[in-house]
């Protein structure tokens, strides 16, 4: 066998081995079953601690009969409070180290770990059980690239001037009517004026993947890099939306309980891609 044929034979064997590996490689498919239907999800390899923990809780049945106990329309639905349901003492409520990855953001359908606030949890460690699914909203690019906190502070100072009484009254009316989208639009329309008047830079850095996602499918960008995103719903987002719109009582809890049952199953990645349209990142 000459050298060229040997190289061709080796290349052919390598290609067949790679094809076979891709065809047989498996991943966990998560099914979250509710009375409103099922959501199907994958968990990210980039967050191995969160992925393993979720699989352990689901496969042992500990998530079953927990609830989506907190819902906020256009924001998220939160559930999976295993520790409270099992009556565990708080000293047994373990946490997980944060696993932030710039490629994993709070786009619509993302699954992320709940946690205590920064004042009690400066390391931003995740709850060992509770998670939320992002609904969010679609943003204009200008809003994403503006430091809205700084803009609001500058705008609040600006409208206190006697010459800006009309603008102040318009702002107050929007605020009283809770028309926050219109209020943000009003402030953004004055951004250039604020920067010139106060000699400020009101812009902020934002990654390309954030702009692409939040101006198309939407999400909750202000949570990026502060809460661990560890998975994504790949089918059944209509179920999430139906739950988010339910009537709420105190503490944003649904008036009618929404219980869940969670199942995990090893499935060929090729089948997940074909059946659910999810594209795995190239390795």
């Amino acid at each position: 066998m000459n050298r060229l044929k040997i190289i061709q034979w080796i290349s052919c064997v390598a290609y067949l081995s790679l094809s076979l590996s891709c065809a047989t490689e498996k991943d966990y498919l998560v099914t979250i079953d509710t009375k409103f239907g099922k959501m199907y999800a994958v968990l990210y390899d980039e967050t191995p601690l969160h992925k393993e923990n979720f699989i352990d809780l689901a496969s042992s049945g500990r998530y079953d009969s927990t609830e989506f106990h907190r819902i906020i329309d256009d924001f998220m639905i939160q559930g999976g409070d295993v520790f409270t349901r099992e009556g565990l003492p708080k000293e047994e409520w373990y946490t997980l180290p944060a696993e932030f990855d710039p490629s994993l953001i709070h786009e619509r359908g993302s699954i992320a770990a709940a946690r205590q606030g920064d004042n009690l949890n400066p390391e931003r460690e995740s709850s060992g059980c509770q998670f939320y699914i992002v609904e969010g909203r679609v943003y204009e690019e200008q809003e994403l690239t503006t430091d809205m906190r700084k803009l609001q502070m500058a705008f609040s100072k600006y409208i206190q001037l006697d010459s800006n009484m009309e603008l102040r009254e318009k702002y107050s009316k929007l605020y009283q009517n809770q028309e926050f989208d219109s209020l943000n639009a009003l402030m953004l329309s004055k951004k250039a004026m604020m920067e010139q008047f106060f000699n400020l830079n009101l812009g902020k850095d934002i990654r390309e993947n954030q702009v692409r996602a939040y101006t198309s499918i939407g999400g909750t960008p202000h949570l990026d890099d502060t809460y661990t995103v560890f998975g994504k719903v790949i089918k059944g987002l209509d179920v999430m939306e139906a739950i988010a719109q339910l009537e709420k009582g105190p503490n944003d809890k649904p008036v009618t309980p929404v219980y869940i049952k969670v199942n995990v199953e090893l499935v060929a990645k090729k089948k997940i891609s074909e059946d659910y349209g999810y594209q795995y990142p190239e390795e």
Side-chain angles (χ1 to χ4, degrees):
M1 185 180 294
N2 62 39
R3 187 167 182 265
L4 177 60
K5 288 186 176 181
I6 291 175
I7 293 174
Q8 290 175 334
W9 179 78
I10 292 173
S11 297
C12 182
V13 171
Y15 174 79
L16 289 174
S17 298
L18 180 61
S19 299
L20 181 61
S21 174
C22 292
T24 58
E25 190 176 358
K26 294 184 177 182
D27 192 13
Y28 284 96
L29 178 67
V30 177
T31 305
I32 303 173
D33 196 357
T34 77
K35 63 182 178 182
F36 295 95
K38 296 179 180 180
M39 291 177 278
Y40 301 88
V42 293
L43 306 175
Y44 296 132
D45 291 335
E46 292 86 349
T47 54
L49 298 177
H50 286 71
K51 181 171 185 174
E52 181 181 3
N53 180 70
F54 190 97
I55 291 169
D56 286 346
L57 291 171
S59 60
S60 62
R62 295 179 70 186
Y63 272 133
D64 296 348
S65 297
T66 58
E67 306 173 45
F68 281 115
H69 61 270
R70 182 174 177 236
I71 59 173
I72 303 176
D73 194 19
D74 291 333
F75 183 37
M76 60 88 213
I77 60 174
Q78 181 175 334
D81 190 359
V82 172
F83 301 157
T84 297
R85 185 184 67 80
E86 293 180 345
L88 295 179
K90 287 196 174 183
E91 56 268 24
E92 295 183 22
W93 293 16
Y94 65 86
T95 59
L96 301 173
E99 293 183 290
F100 300 141
D101 187 300
S103 68
L104 306 180
I105 60 176
H106 283 78
E107 61 188 335
R108 182 171 176 267
S110 289
I111 302 174
R115 66 173 178 83
Q116 288 188 310
D118 290 356
N119 57 329
L120 297 176
N121 179 25
E123 299 299 320
R124 295 173 173 171
E125 295 184 341
S126 300
S127 163
C129 61
Q130 291 192 48
F131 63 92
Y132 58 92
I133 302 173
V134 175
E135 182 179 20
R137 64 176 177 87
V138 175
Y139 288 76
E140 296 293 335
E141 185 170 346
Q142 185 186 25
E143 186 175 359
L144 291 172
T145 57
T146 299
D147 189 323
M148 295 301 293
R149 185 182 64 82
K150 288 184 179 179
L151 176 61
Q152 186 171 20
M153 290 174 63
F155 192 84
S156 296
K157 291 180 181 178
Y158 185 74
I159 60 177
Q160 297 308 312
L161 299 175
D162 291 341
S163 57
N164 296 325
M165 183 180 298
E166 184 178 343
L167 188 60
R168 182 166 67 246
E169 290 175 351
K170 187 174 183 179
Y171 177 92
S172 297
K173 184 177 180 180
L174 291 173
Y175 186 84
Q176 289 170 4
N177 294 334
Q178 297 187 354
E179 298 178 43
F180 298 120
D181 288 344
S182 297
L183 192 151
N184 284 341
L186 174 64
M187 292 193 297
L188 286 166
S189 71
K190 306 297 182 182
K191 176 185 174 182
M193 184 186 297
M194 296 296 99
E195 290 183 317
Q196 184 176 4
F197 187 85
F198 290 107
N199 192 26
L200 290 173
N201 177 6
L202 297 175
K204 70 175 181 181
D205 294 332
I206 187 166
R207 300 187 293 273
E208 182 181 344
N209 62 326
Q210 293 172 301
V211 174
R212 187 169 56 249
Y214 296 131
T215 58
S216 57
I217 64 173
T220 55
H222 67 280
L223 298 179
D224 285 349
D225 309 315
T226 57
Y227 288 74
T228 297
V229 174
F230 66 92
K232 183 177 183 179
V233 174
I234 56 178
K235 183 179 179 181
L237 285 175
D238 57 320
V239 176
M240 177 267 291
E241 292 170 348
I243 294 170
Q245 294 170 12
L246 293 174
E247 181 184 357
K248 298 181 297 183
N251 300 317
D252 295 316
K253 185 172 183 176
V255 172
T256 302
V258 182
Y259 294 104
I260 67 175
K261 181 179 177 64
V262 183
N263 180 63
V264 288
E265 178 185 7
L266 272 175
V267 178
K269 286 185 175 181
K270 182 179 180 181
K271 181 172 176 59
I272 292 175
S273 296
E274 291 175 347
D275 291 354
Y276 301 96
Y278 178 71
Q279 296 301 315
Y280 285 92
E282 296 181 3
E283 297 181 355

